[in-house]
Amino acid sequence: MLKRGLERGEVLRALGEVFRAHGYEGASLTLITEATGLGKGSLYHLFPGGKEQMAAEVLAEIDGWFERHIFAPLRTADDPARAIAAMIAGVDQYFHSGDRVCLVGMVALGSARDSFAEAVDGYFARWQTALASLLRRSGLTNSQAQRRAEDALLTIQGALVLARARGDAKIFRRALSDLTARLLAPPA
Amino acid sequence: MLKRGLERGEVLRALGEVFRAHGYEGASLTLITEATGLGKGSLYHLFPGGKEQMAAEVLAEIDGWFERHIFAPLRTADDPARAIAAMIAGVDQYFHSGDRVCLVGMVALGSARDSFAEAVDGYFARWQTALASLLRRSGLTNSQAQRRAEDALLTIQGALVLARARGDAKIFRRALSDLTARLLAPPA
DNA sequence: GGAAGATTGTACCGATCGGTACAGAGAGTC
DNA sequence: GACTCTCTGTACCGATCGGTACAATCTTCC
């Protein structure tokens, strides 16, 4: 059991924030011990694989969250409009309306990408497939659905980058609102 | 004068590739000396401000390239369709059709953001303003033009992230092609 | 209470970090 | 050739990096 009842999930959440704030290479063990309140001894006891294992588990936890809250609902929903609204709401919540950065996207851009290529690709691939399957059920052809899902993912990532770059979270909310309309539009 | 006739511009270009490949924090002086062929002595002679100055000058050089090849033409063009096509072609060229990452976007996401906040914000702000001015001349209202320009920047950034994440540069080309159509569409 | 195992803080490791000092090589000028 | 000034390679700096070793401390169960 962990000291002070700290669960592994809480540790992972703290780790996630450190990686988000400083990137994989920038997240030093000093920063990590500060953020988690855990000494090196505890850290390496929990994660014998070191920083790489920490990052891998953080990515897996993020993936799990999206799987439960975003991907799975998309696959099973029967009302497209409601499902899309729910996805957008979930995304808005997860990214704190643009104040929070996407760790998966960050890793993809950095040099740590190669170490986590599979996790990164899988995350976006499953998201796109889940969204496309919903769009197909709403009347789009397979290729239309794939393309529109790709557009959705790329819009979310771009909005996070631009919002961060310009220090204006409203950019993210505007993009999400436009995206909702674009996803619900009738097939061209 | 530089050894072997190496110009400062060439050094900056090599530096840019190192920063792109490893991020600001990941670009160690060892990596930098290898990429530029310059020892520490030369490096610190050329850039007394160290890594931070190197990154600042690289960002400035990128900014200059976009200013000359993208922003300025947008401001003075009289044929919107041609100007937009030229911008898209320039962007496609600069980012090697999706194989190259946007250093400005990368810096924006990383923890080095605060050090270069002004440069990062200015780059996107001038791009958006230049594009919006063209769109206004093509018949859009000011707010429509601003919003559509914002969408363009975010789409480009997102496409670069997603293409990188999925290891598929075609995503970038598709996004640019769709973006062209969206920019040329009549006002809603 | 005492054995066993999980958990922890601390000291320490070699490697590498960004940066400095400085002697000397190279080029230009007279 | 000698003086100047620009440029460069190398040795070195303290700090920090990710990671390991290990003894001390807690829990748990008997």
Side-chain angles (χ1 to χ4, degrees), chain A residues 48-114:
Chain A
K51 241 176 96 169
E52 182 150 346
Q53 183 183 354
M54 296 179 207
E57 289 204 24
V58 167
L59 287 179
E61 211 229 10
I62 293 171
D63 194 286
W65 192 94
F66 275 83
E67 184 61 42
R68 288 190 303 277
H69 293 86
I70 310 277
F71 307 164
L74 282 175
R75 290 193 203 100
T76 58
D78 48 1
D79 180 344
R82 201 183 298 265
I84 285 169
M87 177 186 96
I88 296 290
V91 167
D92 185 65
Q93 177 200 334
Y94 186 83
F95 292 113
H96 297 175
S97 300
D99 279 334
R100 203 191 205 188
V101 117
C102 176
L103 185 56
V104 187
M106 252 183 111
V107 169
L109 287 185
S111 56
R113 197 201 81 115
D114 296 342

Side-chain angles (χ1 to χ4, degrees), chain A residues 1 27-30 40 44 50-51:
Chain A
M1 203 206 304
S28 69
L29 288 207
T30 305
K40 287 189 180 187
Y44 276 84
K51 241 176 96 169

Side-chain angles (χ1 to χ4, degrees), chain B residues 54-123:
Chain B
M54 297 178 206
E57 288 203 24
V58 167
L59 287 178
E61 211 229 9
I62 292 171
D63 195 284
W65 191 94
F66 275 83
E67 184 61 42
R68 287 190 303 278
H69 293 86
I70 310 276
F71 307 164
L74 282 175
R75 290 193 204 101
T76 58
D78 47 2
D79 180 344
R82 201 183 298 265
I84 286 169
M87 177 186 96
I88 296 290
V91 166
D92 185 65
Q93 176 200 336
Y94 186 83
F95 292 113
H96 297 174
S97 299
D99 279 335
R100 203 191 206 190
V101 117
C102 177
L103 185 56
V104 187
M106 251 181 111
V107 169
L109 286 185
S111 55
R113 197 200 81 115
D114 296 342
S115 311
F116 305 106
E118 203 175 337
V120 167
D121 182 62
Y123 167 82

